[in-house]
Amino acid sequence: MKKALTNLLLFAFFSLPVLYAVQYIADTGLKQSKAQYFNTWNDIYNSKINTDVVICGASRAKLVISPKILDSVLHISSYNIGINGGYFPVQDALFKIYLQHNKKPKYIIQNVDFMTFTDGNNLVDAEQYIPYLSNPIISDLTDHYIQRYTWPEKHFPLFKYNNHFNFIKEGFSLYFHIGNHASNKLYKGFAPITTPFDDYFTLRMQKEGDFIRNNIQKNIDSEFVAYLDFCKANDIKLIFVYGPVLREARAFMRADTSAITRKLMQYAQQYNIPFLNYVDEPSWNSKQFFADHIHANYLGSQAFNERLANDLKGIIPAAQ
Amino acid sequence: MLFNSFQFLLFFPIVTLLYFLLPYQFRWFHLLVASCVFYMAFVPIYILILFFTIIIDYVAGILIENAAGSRRRLYLLMSIIANVGILVFFKYYNFLSVNINEVFHFVHVQAAIPLLNIVLPIGLSFHTFQAMSYTIEVYRSNQKPERHFGIYALYVMFYPQLVAGPIERPQNLLHQFHEPHPFNYDDFVVGMRRILWGLFKKAVIADRLSLIVAPIYKDPQHCSGMATVIGTVFFAFQIYCDFSGYSDIALGTARVMGFKLMVNFNKPYNAKSISEFWRKWHISLSSWLSDYVFNSMAVSLRNYGLAAVVISALVTFLVSGFWHGAAWKYIVWGALHGIAIAYELLTRKSRKKLFKKIPDTIGRIISVVLTFSYVCFTYIFFRANNVHDAVVMVKKVPGIFPEIAGIARHSHTLAQLLGGISVSSVLVGFGYILFLELVHKLEGKENITEVVAAKSKVVRWSLYFLVAGTVYLFGIFNSHQFIYFQF
């Protein structure tokens, strides 16, 4: 028995330092990555943002609201920390991490929409969290979503990279400055879509019926209110922006969107938040402005951002 | 509890360490409790079914031993009826009800047997067969009945082989629970090697191949002939690595504690005939069926000569198909194997004559390829959602030839034929299959653990690090059940 235990210990003795070292190199390397997957996270972690205006929200913020246009029209400095597939708890976690590493913004352009009070059980693009799993906020977040990363992934060295050898490779090449590294087409976090209209929502509708479960969930509502309270207490001025949606997209939604809009209007009134609602703008209700039913394409985003920037003129003053 | 889960990673060392720390007389109890915990990790309440069959068979064993003449037969029958009754109720009730209702409908009878919402207890077919082998062997006087209730319970419930075999015989396993099994370093090493290799087969090969197989079989209407063939060949290796991987882990965990379970696989895809395939595939089940179904039938029908053997083979494989699952596709799968065995029995002499005219190596290659192709053909029924889907897929297979010609003519690409499955993932799949076959080639007549044992310390340890590292980094652990758990 002694020999067996000694051999097991020897196996661990030789393995563990290697696993920890590889994990350290991969994590450190990826935290320097400019790849779209990690770029915004790294800008947040490396305190590179520090802007007065921050754009928050899910994909309808990330892919649609352009800091370039807002900066040029309003003469401000803004950054888009929107996150794809981000339910409100994800947006909230991201904002908390933002505040850990960057100065408090003066204004937040908060994208709101039919999904603001809805939570799901999937963590979209979960791999983007891998290098940062040791952060307690991210750890709690991944636990919240069907335990995407469980105890072994968080505590066994390198196990979080299981089946992500490409990330280890990328991390190593960044750490040792070898080879060409992935870059991104982001502008301060903004990722416009240039692909033609994709009708996959219709196909999904045919298969699954009204698949967008856009109900008002009590726990998400409370979390949203806590976020509004926090911003109010910290003198961060919020601006609600409800971007355009193709009208026919309402067929895909389970709940009545007007109830959600009414709730948003109620909070806007209660917290004295400007609410810029473009959802029913008839001028954008055309597929030429959309990449799919709910995300504006580059053309739509240009038109929308110009309008948004003009509407924000009276709300956000130009930087001194 | 799955062997490839984090829970088992904790369970196994704790149970093993306690096993060796405890005095010998308490070990059976420790293993029994551990086995209960292991089983209850699935659906706790179903342990009552296990206890029920354990009590029935324990009592039946003693009654059979003490009885004589027709009473012995009666007690055996009662035990078999109890075991088969539970199996039929939990596994086949809804299947039988649906089919009887279909018959009622066909003959215009206004009656319907209600369907029940039953969850199949995990591994039911395995431990039922193992329990039945005990009473049959006691009846045949090949085994003394076990008087120690706890040890008998452990014979049925021993956690390494509880949910997916190997289906043990009392002569091989029961006596081992009475032996002290002091810690043996060689057993420990052999067992650990076997566990590691089993994990590699399951987590790295089987579960990776399943990512390609599942989408192909999910949508048979829209897959090409090429996708059908690749999906089926991959499924052949997926199910082999899944089940033999499970068996390796079972054998390994038992071996670490000093128990020797029967080997369940012996390079089945190298078989030169379907009969040989069944001597190499799921050996514990095929030998069970051979001992208790085929031989019994063949002996009772012996006056009918070769016909008796053919009929016995057909019935045995229908039972085998039905054992696998309550669906027509499994019955068709079993029947196809039965037909192949019957064909082999009937044409043995003429095939022998034919193969004498061909050089040995070529004859061997032809036999192996034909056998593997036929096994794959039957797998289409095994893996498809139902017989209709299987027929759709079988019809697509000949389409592979014009598709290959089309690739040569550049009228379409391999990627198009594979639908949404990437060519690179298919190449990786073939890479794993090639690697597995290379290991089989290296093994020769030995087992991989024996081959590794013969290497130098440096080579051995390098292999351990390499295999463990591959499982750790490339294994898939998101709770993929073992295929045979459903049976």
Side-chain angles (χ1 to χ4, degrees):
Chain A
M1 181 104 92
K2 209 170 158 186
K3 193 177 171 187
L5 289 173
T6 312
N7 279 348
L8 282 176
L9 284 175
L10 272 176
F11 190 82
F13 179 79
F14 286 115
S15 311
L16 288 177
V18 175
L19 293 173
Y20 275 114
V22 173
Q23 176 174 288
Y24 173 78
I25 293 169
D27 279 354
T28 314
L30 288 178
K31 283 176 183 172
Q32 297 161 24
S33 173
K34 296 269 178 232
Q36 193 152 322
Y37 232 46
F38 303 112
N39 183 68
T40 304
W41 284 106
N42 289 340
D43 280 355
I44 290 172
Y45 263 86
N46 298 328
S47 312
K48 281 188 180 168
I49 300 179
N50 290 312
T51 53
D52 287 338
V53 180
V54 168
I55 299 152
C56 293
S59 57
R60 283 169 32 82
K62 174 105 187 151
L63 311 174
V64 177
I65 304 179
S66 164
K68 194 172 191 173
I69 296 175
L70 298 187
D71 289 2
S72 67
V73 175
L74 296 168
H75 307 291
I76 55 164
S77 175
S78 63
Y79 194 101
N80 187 333
I81 62 165
I83 187 163
N84 284 340
Y87 296 107
F88 186 73
V90 180
Q91 299 171 30
D92 192 37
L94 186 68
F95 181 59
K96 281 176 184 153
I97 295 166
Y98 176 87
L99 290 179
Q100 284 178 348
H101 299 275
N102 296 272
K103 74 167 191 184
K104 186 179 75 177
K106 288 181 181 159
Y107 292 90
I108 293 176
I109 298 174
Q110 176 65 45
N111 174 76
V112 288
D113 55 32
F114 47 87
M115 292 297 285
T116 297
F117 302 108
T118 310
D119 203 1
N121 56 8
N122 61 325
L123 193 59
V124 177
D125 295 339
E127 293 80 7
Q128 66 184 305
Y129 303 97
I130 290 176
Y132 321 99
L133 277 181
S134 54
N135 183 309
I137 297 174
I138 291 183
S139 180
D140 288 348
L141 185 74
T142 55
D143 284 347
H144 176 78
Y145 290 100
I146 55 162
Q147 300 211 327
R148 179 60 181 79
Y149 293 106
T150 51
W151 199 89
E153 273 106 355
K154 285 174 187 165
H155 296 92
F156 289 180
L158 203 65
F159 194 54
K160 61 184 181 178
Y161 288 102
N162 168 271
N163 278 300
H164 293 295
F165 190 70
N166 53 332
F167 285 171
I168 300 179
K169 225 169 79 181
E170 177 73 1
F172 264 68
S173 77
L174 282 157
Y175 187 86
F176 293 110
H177 308 288
I178 309 163
N180 297 320
H181 306 124
S183 60
N184 64 75
K185 288 175 185 164
L186 301 176
Y187 179 83
K188 294 167 99 176
F190 169 55
I193 320 173
T194 50
T195 49
F197 186 81
D198 185 341
D199 207 16
Y200 77 95
F201 273 63
T202 311
L203 297 174
R204 220 176 136 184
M205 173 75 181
Q206 284 161 1
K207 275 188 184 170
E208 301 170 42
D210 48 356
F211 62 93
I212 299 181
R213 292 163 193 170
N214 56 326
N215 53 340
I216 298 174
Q217 285 176 233
K218 265 192 176 168
N219 58 327
I220 304 300
D221 186 18
S222 317
E223 208 171 319
F224 189 70
V225 170
Y227 168 69
L228 301 182
D229 288 334
F230 174 86
C231 290
K232 191 179 173 186
N234 286 278
D235 199 24
I236 300 169
K237 291 186 178 62
L238 275 162
I239 301 150
F240 286 171
V241 174
Y242 198 148
V245 177
L246 262 183
R247 208 161 287 166
E248 59 190 75
R250 290 196 186 161
F252 313 139
M253 295 173 196
R254 196 157 293 180
D256 175 18
T257 47
S258 58
I260 295 164
T261 312
R262 276 199 304 276
K263 194 159 198 65
L264 288 166
M265 284 168 74
Q266 178 206 322
Y267 288 140
Q269 208 169 19
Q270 193 179 329
Y271 288 87
N272 197 22
I273 298 167
F275 186 6
L276 306 177
N277 188 350
Y278 305 96
V279 70
D280 287 324
E281 263 315 315
S283 51
W284 292 319
N285 191 36
S286 160
K287 284 184 182 172
Q288 64 164 322
F289 293 120
F290 283 85
D292 58 46
H293 284 84
I294 59 167
H295 297 104
N297 61 16
Y298 183 70
L299 187 68
S301 142
Q302 289 285 110
F304 166 66
N305 278 289
E306 280 164 19
R307 168 79 183 275
L308 175 66
N310 275 317
D311 291 348
L312 285 170
K313 268 182 186 165
I315 303 168
I316 303 175
Q320 300 302 308
Chain B
M1 193 182 301
L2 298 172
F3 280 163
N4 55 340
S5 68
F6 175 59
Q7 290 97 308
F8 188 73
L9 190 68
L10 291 175
F11 176 87
F12 169 62
I14 293 170
V15 169
T16 308
L17 200 65
L18 277 175
Y19 175 80
F20 286 115
L21 291 177
L22 281 169
Y24 153 66
Q25 58 268 36
F26 299 119
R27 287 181 179 175
W28 69 266
F29 182 72
H30 165 65
L31 281 182
L32 189 59
V33 171
S35 299
C36 289
V37 171
F38 182 85
Y39 191 75
M40 287 169 78
F42 297 107
V43 182
I45 192 78
Y46 281 159
I47 198 148
L48 297 176
I49 300 165
L50 257 175
F51 282 144
F52 176 73
T53 54
I54 286 167
I55 292 167
I56 294 276
D57 295 323
Y58 171 76
V59 174
I62 293 168
L63 289 175
I64 291 168
E65 167 81 353
N66 295 337
S70 61
R71 280 207 163 267
R72 279 172 71 83
R73 204 179 174 81
L74 179 73
Y75 291 137
L76 174 69
L77 263 175
M78 280 165 64
S79 145
I80 290 176
I81 288 168
N83 284 297
V84 174
I86 288 171
L87 192 60
V88 168
F89 178 74
F90 281 97
K91 193 165 177 173
Y92 303 107
Y93 174 84
N94 281 341
F95 173 75
L96 294 172
S97 301
V98 166
N99 284 286
I100 291 168
N101 288 342
E102 288 281 324
V103 173
F104 283 165
H105 181 73
F106 186 72
V107 295
H108 306 290
V109 172
Q110 294 292 321
I113 301 170
L115 298 183
L116 300 175
N117 188 16
I118 306 169
V119 180
L120 178 68
I122 205 150
L124 182 67
S125 307
F126 287 92
H127 49 74
T128 305
F129 268 39
Q130 180 153 322
M132 278 161 67
S133 80
Y134 167 77
T135 45
I136 296 171
E137 291 301 326
V138 171
Y139 173 79
R140 288 180 174 178
S141 302
N142 293 331
Q143 172 69 39
K144 285 267 162 211
E146 177 56 60
R147 302 274 166 182
H148 190 305
F149 179 74
I151 285 191
Y152 175 71
L154 189 54
Y155 161 73
V156 179
M157 291 195 65
F158 186 42
Y159 87 82
Q161 40 87 250
L162 172 59
V163 289
I167 304 165
E168 278 294 344
R169 304 304 166 78
Q171 297 95 316
N172 180 43
L173 188 58
L174 256 175
H175 68 90
Q176 294 192 53
F177 294 121
H178 289 283
E179 291 158 7
H181 295 296
F183 182 82
N184 180 306
Y185 180 72
D186 290 337
D187 279 344
F188 169 80
V189 173
V190 170
M192 291 300 283
R193 275 190 206 129
R194 197 135 206 168
I195 291 171
L196 191 57
W197 180 231
L199 268 176
F200 181 87
K201 283 199 277 188
K202 166 65 181 164
V204 179
I205 305 181
D207 286 348
R208 181 138 329 263
L209 292 178
S210 81
L211 299 177
I212 299 165
V213 174
I216 292 173
Y217 273 86
K218 195 180 173 189
D219 190 11
Q221 301 284 354
H222 297 105
C223 67
S224 61
M226 176 73 82
T228 305
V229 170
I230 288 175
T232 306
V233 170
F234 278 19
F235 177 68
F237 283 92
Q238 181 203 339
I239 194 168
Y240 168 69
C241 288
D242 189 284
F243 194 17
S244 73
Y246 173 88
S247 297
D248 280 334
I249 302 169
L251 264 71
T253 47
R255 187 66 181 265
V256 168
M257 293 184 284
F259 295 93
K260 286 178 182 146
L261 301 181
M262 72 186 290
V263 172
N264 224 4
F265 292 89
N266 180 20
K267 305 178 194 92
Y269 297 145
N270 289 352
K272 296 193 290 292
S273 64
I274 298 296
S275 332
E276 192 187 352
F277 171 78
W278 280 101
R279 288 194 296 274
K280 290 164 170 275
W281 173 271
H282 201 176
I283 298 165
S284 65
L285 175 70
S286 38
S287 63
W288 195 102
L289 291 169
S290 165
D291 287 354
Y292 303 130
V293 182
F294 177 81
N295 288 348
S296 304
M297 265 193 88
V299 167
S300 57
L301 298 172
R302 60 185 172 276
N303 295 337
Y304 298 95
L306 189 59
V309 183
V310 170
I311 291 167
S312 305
L314 281 169
V315 171
T316 304
F317 278 95
L318 281 174
V319 171
S320 169
F322 206 40
W323 177 90
H324 279 83
W328 284 107
K329 60 174 192 161
Y330 293 116
I331 297 170
V332 172
W333 172 78
L336 287 171
H337 276 276
I339 290 166
I341 300 269
Y343 168 80
E344 285 176 1
L345 286 167
L346 293 169
T347 61
R348 187 182 288 168
K349 281 180 187 165
S350 54
R351 280 185 300 118
K352 220 172 185 179
K353 250 187 211 170
L354 178 73
F355 275 88
K356 265 186 185 168
K357 293 173 188 165
I358 307 168
D360 270 1
T361 321
I362 295 172
R364 196 184 167 281
I365 292 169
I366 292 171
S367 304
V368 169
V369 170
L370 284 177
T371 305
F372 180 69
S373 305
Y374 188 78
V375 168
C376 283
F377 163 67
T378 64
Y379 276 145
I380 295 178
F381 288 87
F382 192 97
R383 177 60 181 83
N385 300 318
N386 48 52
V387 176
H388 174 263
D389 281 5
V391 172
V392 168
M393 294 187 86
V394 168
K395 282 181 183 167
K396 295 213 168 186
V397 172
I400 191 173
F401 301 108
E403 284 167 12
I404 291 170
I407 294 173
R409 285 197 310 271
H410 301 289
S411 60
H412 48 243
T413 62
L414 182 60
Q416 285 168 329
L417 292 174
L418 292 172
I421 298 156
S422 73
V423 177
S424 61
S425 66
V426 169
L427 289 176
V428 169
F430 275 117
Y432 280 127
I433 291 171
L434 211 67
F435 173 75
L436 188 75
E437 285 307 304
L438 198 71
V439 170
H440 283 169
K441 191 86 195 152
L442 276 173
E443 282 179 326
K445 283 180 181 166
E446 291 178 309
N447 179 285
I448 186 68
T449 56
E450 290 157 0
V451 176
V452 173
K455 304 287 175 201
S456 70
K457 205 168 189 170
V458 176
V459 174
R460 277 199 325 261
W461 276 72
S462 307
L463 282 172
Y464 300 154
F465 281 114
L466 191 70
V467 177
T470 309
V471 171
Y472 193 73
L473 275 184
F474 297 101
I476 296 174
F477 294 96
N478 44 3
S479 290
H480 277 255
Q481 268 214 358
F482 289 87
I483 294 171
Y484 265 70
F485 272 29
Q486 62 186 300
F487 307 133

